[in-house]
Amino acid sequence: MDFRHPFITNPRIAIYYGLFWGVAAVANILVLTISNNFNAVEAIVQVCAFMLSFAVIGAAIWYVIKFSTLENNSFWRVVFAHAIAASIIIFIWMYFGVVTIKLFHPDPVGWFEQNRMANGIFTGYAMYTIYVVFFYAINYYNGFKEKLRSEGKLKALVKEAELHALKSQINPHFLFNSLNSISSLTMTDPEKAQEMVINLSQLMRYSLKHDQNEKVSFKQELENNKLYLHIEKVRFGKKLNPSFEIDEKSFKAEIPNMILQPLYENAIKYGVYEATDPVDVKTVSTMTEKGLEVIISNTYDPNVLSKKGEGIGLRNIRERLQIIYGNQGLLKISDNKKEFVVTLTIPQK
Amino acid sequence: MADKLKTVIVEDEELARNLLKSFLKSIDKVEIIGECENGFEGVKVINELKPDLVFLDIQMPKITGFEMLELLEHKPNIIFATAYDQYALKAFEYNAADYLLKPYSKDRLTEAVDKVVERIQKEGVSSDVADKVSDFPKEEYLDRIVVKDRHKIHISPVDQVRYIESMDDYVMIYTTEGRYMKQKTMKYFEAALNPNDFIRIHRSYIVKVDEINEIQQYEKESYIVILHDKTKLKVSKTGYKNLKEVLNF
């Protein structure tokens, strides 16, 4: 726990505190001299003796509330602690006040005869209470800020971990299934096997080479995903039917690397895996005033059991868009029970 | 063993099928009598041709390899062949003869076939695979239930299941689409369905939480559950405790 006084950690509070008491003291002196007919010296001594001294001593109440917080102690224990602390502080305060009056007041005997002490003690307890409330408020505010800060830090860590997971996201089963296809092709069609090995190597190299937050040209990202689709096409044959409608203007647009791959992977997983008939996976790209727009859609067999919710893949893309562009609305999904459509908007500066 | 192993391949990818066939061609203990591209075909072909051995992929369209196994009347020896290693445990709960991880070598395949031959010599013609089908799936909760309904195979997503009633050796599964009988135990479903969505309320009933409209006191110590469509189901003492736990009242 942080026991440092808020006046030390946050000098601005100390300045406001000082100003407040300064103004209050001046106001008090004016009231005393103008409407209560005190002489100036009398008024100043009294204000210094009781008011400004409380401003100094009262600051110590912070330590009382820090050592007897409601979280760690029972309510009555806290009340008891404060009652004792209040009495001690008020005793010291009154003692200081009385000594000051005796030393500096032009008419100390008169002051004592007016019996202002009882009044003062009551005021002291009331002020103590106000201080306690004030410091508890500061304490809670600090705790709240601290919590927000640590939450933010935690979130950043989680994101980092997620991004890391995302990075190594080329599904190992994709790799093993592809290797199995290659194994088969080595017997029946060695040339095709060789081509597939090369495609697979290029894809792996691409996914290993690029940094998570790096942006690549849409052309490059698209070529890479074509490799991916090509490999899957070898596996699934006529069941997978990819098509592209690419506006050439969009080639130069920048896009976070490997952001399309999970979308194609989903299209294959939910469309092709479950289908017995050919499935179209269509990619359309255009440049709009909002930026690069990529639409990836896949048909699917509506009779196949609907999949549970939104997969990790889409959520991760949303998170990445949120991190990179501060906007997770850039990914839109629609599903008309025959076709699943993902629309991705990538802002261009 | 004089005869060759009558073998069926159930695999959705053509290249994987080709590879398996070309490997098997040189293993002379094996004779391929059928080839299927998905689990539906698999059920039909296996029940008809009654093979000794089936090579089975797990991840296939429509129904998975495991779901297919549950629908078989004839119980052949099973060798799984898949790229996923996480199903290995489950496969052996299904009494699989072997589990080939793709890509596999011809030697590894030969070894698997030898295991089957050995097994058959030891245990007689064919071992009863699916009889020993796991009563406790450990992988994850079911998301669909596959039922063979005479000549049709029906797939119910668990979201459509309303409640399950035990009937001797069978269970009756009441879904929004209709009711289906399946040869499984209540215990199996109790373990296989997500306990946050389904509660065992009685020896004879498992009910979907969302279907419950009301819980009523019936007699002094007994309760009934009333579903949205007014169906009333008895609740046992333990059932009431389960309800309390999940619904938090």
Side-chain angles (χ1 to χ4, degrees):
Chain A
M1 201 195 285
D2 187 1
F3 287 108
R4 281 175 308 160
H5 203 286
F7 292 176
I8 295 164
T9 53
N10 191 349
R12 197 186 287 173
I13 294 185
I15 291 168
Y16 287 141
Y17 180 82
L19 277 176
F20 169 78
W21 281 114
V23 171
V26 170
N28 203 352
I29 291 168
L30 288 177
V31 168
L32 288 176
T33 49
I34 294 167
S35 62
N36 293 20
N37 295 324
F38 279 54
N39 76 41
V41 178
E42 243 183 279
I44 290 166
V45 168
Q46 183 171 320
V47 166
C48 287
F50 293 101
M51 198 174 207
L52 293 182
S53 63
F54 203 100
V56 175
I57 293 173
I61 295 169
W62 168 260
Y63 296 100
V64 184
I65 75 119
K66 260 313 196 189
F67 278 103
S68 58
T69 54
L70 283 167
E71 291 96 320
N72 305 332
N73 300 289
S74 77
F75 175 72
W76 290 112
R77 206 193 144 99
V78 171
V79 170
F80 184 63
H82 279 305
I84 293 178
S87 302
I88 294 170
I89 284 177
I90 288 162
F91 177 80
I92 295 170
W93 171 61
M94 283 309 280
Y95 184 77
F96 175 78
V98 167
V99 169
T100 312
I101 293 286
K102 271 190 173 165
L103 286 178
F104 299 106
H105 202 278
D107 179 19
V109 180
W111 190 91
F112 284 110
E113 272 172 2
Q114 279 181 334
N115 203 14
R116 294 202 187 116
M117 271 182 74
N119 220 342
I121 289 172
F122 175 77
T123 315
Y125 277 102
M127 299 258 278
Y128 184 92
T129 311
I130 292 169
Y131 267 91
V132 166
V133 171
F134 174 60
F135 280 136
Y136 269 127
I138 289 185
N139 195 24
Y140 274 105
Y141 176 66
N142 283 347
F144 181 63
K145 262 198 338 204
E146 178 63 33
K147 211 175 131 196
L148 280 188
R149 217 177 7 247
S150 62
E151 251 173 28
K153 223 183 273 173
L154 195 74
K155 265 190 191 152
L157 280 176
V158 168
K159 265 174 196 158
E160 202 176 298
E162 271 176 1
L163 284 178
H164 191 75
L166 208 77
K167 174 80 178 150
S168 49
Q169 148 186 85
I170 283 211
N171 189 330
H173 304 125
F174 157 73
L175 187 61
F176 294 132
N177 275 316
S178 303
L179 288 171
N180 197 55
S181 305
I182 292 170
S183 170
S184 176
L185 287 171
T186 50
M187 282 187 279
T188 53
D189 191 346
E191 253 172 59
K192 206 163 182 183
Q194 191 189 28
E195 185 192 323
M196 202 163 160
V197 168
I198 291 167
N199 285 346
L200 196 58
S201 314
Q202 273 183 14
L203 178 65
M204 297 314 285
R205 194 169 292 123
Y206 180 89
S207 77
L208 291 173
K209 191 167 69 185
H210 290 280
D211 191 68
Q212 188 58 50
N213 292 318
E214 194 180 327
K215 288 176 193 159
V216 295
S217 73
F218 176 60
K219 185 172 185 189
Q220 202 179 357
E221 173 74 359
L222 190 69
E223 288 303 318
N224 175 61
N225 280 285
K226 277 184 176 168
L227 280 178
Y228 174 71
L229 286 169
H230 203 82
I231 294 163
E232 292 290 56
K233 172 85 183 155
V234 172
R235 248 181 89 194
F236 291 108
K238 58 182 188 305
K239 257 172 73 179
L240 173 59
N241 185 16
S243 65
F244 296 88
E245 271 174 42
I246 306 298
D247 176 2
E248 277 191 25
K249 281 182 215 140
S250 53
F251 277 151
K252 279 192 188 139
E254 288 203 319
I255 186 167
N257 87 87
M258 293 292 285
I259 208 150
L260 298 180
Q261 197 271 341
L263 297 178
Y264 288 113
E265 194 177 297
N266 270 356
I268 287 169
K269 193 166 156 198
Y270 298 121
V272 181
Y273 273 15
E274 298 290 334
T276 42
D277 297 325
V279 165
D280 294 321
V281 176
K282 191 169 155 192
T283 309
V284 179
S285 85
T286 44
M287 291 304 287
T288 67
E289 69 260 36
K290 283 183 194 157
L292 170 68
E293 189 178 82
V294 186
I295 302 172
I296 297 174
S297 60
N298 67 278
T299 53
Y300 68 90
D301 182 348
N303 295 323
V304 168
L305 165 68
S306 59
K307 284 282 179 265
K308 305 171 281 189
E310 192 171 290
I312 293 171
L314 291 178
R315 217 178 54 218
N316 275 350
I317 294 178
R318 279 223 165 83
E319 290 262 306
R320 267 185 86 186
L321 292 171
Q322 169 68 32
I323 296 169
I324 300 172
Y325 300 104
N327 180 358
Q328 48 180 317
L330 297 174
L331 179 74
K332 289 198 182 70
I333 293 162
S334 77
D335 182 359
N336 66 5
K337 300 292 162 209
K338 268 165 79 182
E339 197 179 25
F340 189 81
V341 184
V342 179
T343 307
L344 194 64
T345 313
I346 305 292
Q348 305 291 317
K349 270 177 280 180
Chain B
M1 195 180 65
D3 289 343
K4 290 184 172 188
L5 286 174
K6 288 185 286 170
T7 301
V8 166
I9 298 171
V10 186
E11 160 71 70
D12 64 317
E13 284 174 42
E14 197 188 352
L15 287 174
R17 243 179 4 249
N18 289 344
L19 178 70
L20 184 54
K21 276 191 292 185
S22 76
F23 276 162
L24 287 176
K25 225 180 276 169
S26 56
I27 302 178
D28 54 6
K29 295 167 206 156
V30 170
E31 180 196 359
I32 298 168
I33 59 166
E35 252 181 75
C36 314
E37 280 184 39
N38 60 58
F40 281 154
E41 277 178 40
V43 175
K44 202 170 149 247
V45 169
I46 294 166
N47 283 339
E48 256 167 39
L49 302 181
K50 305 196 184 346
D52 305 309
L53 172 60
V54 170
F55 284 95
L56 184 59
D57 191 7
I58 293 172
Q59 185 65 252
M60 289 185 295
K62 315 248 167 165
I63 61 173
T64 68
F66 290 123
E67 287 166 341
M68 194 204 82
L69 278 187
E70 286 178 14
L71 302 172
L72 293 181
E73 282 143 30
H74 172 75
K75 319 287 187 191
N77 288 283
I78 303 291
I79 297 175
F80 287 99
T82 170
Y84 297 79
D85 53 3
Q86 73 258 40
Y87 299 126
L89 254 183
K90 189 165 176 184
F92 286 105
E93 284 168 24
Y94 277 77
N95 205 12
D98 209 339
Y99 192 87
L100 297 175
L101 271 173
K102 290 175 184 171
Y104 48 84
S105 68
K106 196 172 122 190
D107 287 349
R108 181 68 188 81
L109 177 69
T110 313
E111 196 186 302
V113 172
D114 287 342
K115 267 191 209 172
V116 175
V117 172
E118 204 179 299
R119 194 186 223 189
I120 290 174
Q121 279 167 347
K122 229 188 259 169
E123 298 177 17
V125 184
S126 75
S127 67
D128 45 350
V129 183
D131 277 358
K132 290 175 189 159
V133 157
S134 136
D135 265 352
F136 304 98
K138 293 189 181 84
E139 298 300 322
E140 52 203 9
Y141 295 119
L142 286 181
D143 51 11
R144 57 191 187 190
I145 297 173
V146 182
V147 188
K148 197 163 171 233
D149 187 8
R150 261 155 291 164
H151 301 297
K152 272 195 287 183
I153 289 167
H154 185 87
I155 303 175
S156 295
V158 288
D159 323 350
Q160 286 179 8
V161 174
R162 297 173 50 235
Y163 65 99
I164 297 173
E165 184 179 5
S166 80
M167 312 194 84
D168 300 321
D169 293 342
Y170 291 84
V171 293
M172 186 65 90
I173 300 159
Y174 292 81
T175 74
T176 47
E177 309 277 281
R179 39 180 226 180
Y180 305 95
M181 208 144 88
K182 192 171 167 82
Q183 194 174 15
K184 276 277 176 191
T185 63
M186 290 294 273
K187 226 175 165 181
Y188 165 81
F189 281 110
E190 205 183 348
L193 294 171
N194 188 335
N196 291 322
D197 300 335
F198 289 90
I199 311 180
R200 178 90 183 248
I201 55 163
H202 189 267
R203 198 159 34 90
S204 308
Y205 301 109
I206 291 172
V207 68
K208 188 176 179 197
V209 177
D210 292 345
E211 289 292 327
I212 298 175
N213 188 37
E214 227 179 291
I215 301 166
Q216 247 182 34
Q217 189 150 32
Y218 182 58
E219 276 167 359
K220 201 174 164 225
E221 283 263 293
S222 70
Y223 292 84
I224 50 169
V225 153
I226 303 175
L227 307 186
H228 289 300
D229 71 334
K230 308 282 183 258
T231 309
K232 289 174 187 170
L233 304 176
K234 274 189 258 173
V235 179
S236 67
K237 249 189 190 170
T238 357
Y240 191 66
K241 233 167 61 191
N242 293 344
L243 279 169
K244 261 188 143 164
E245 223 166 80
V246 175
L247 298 177
N248 222 339
F249 61 89

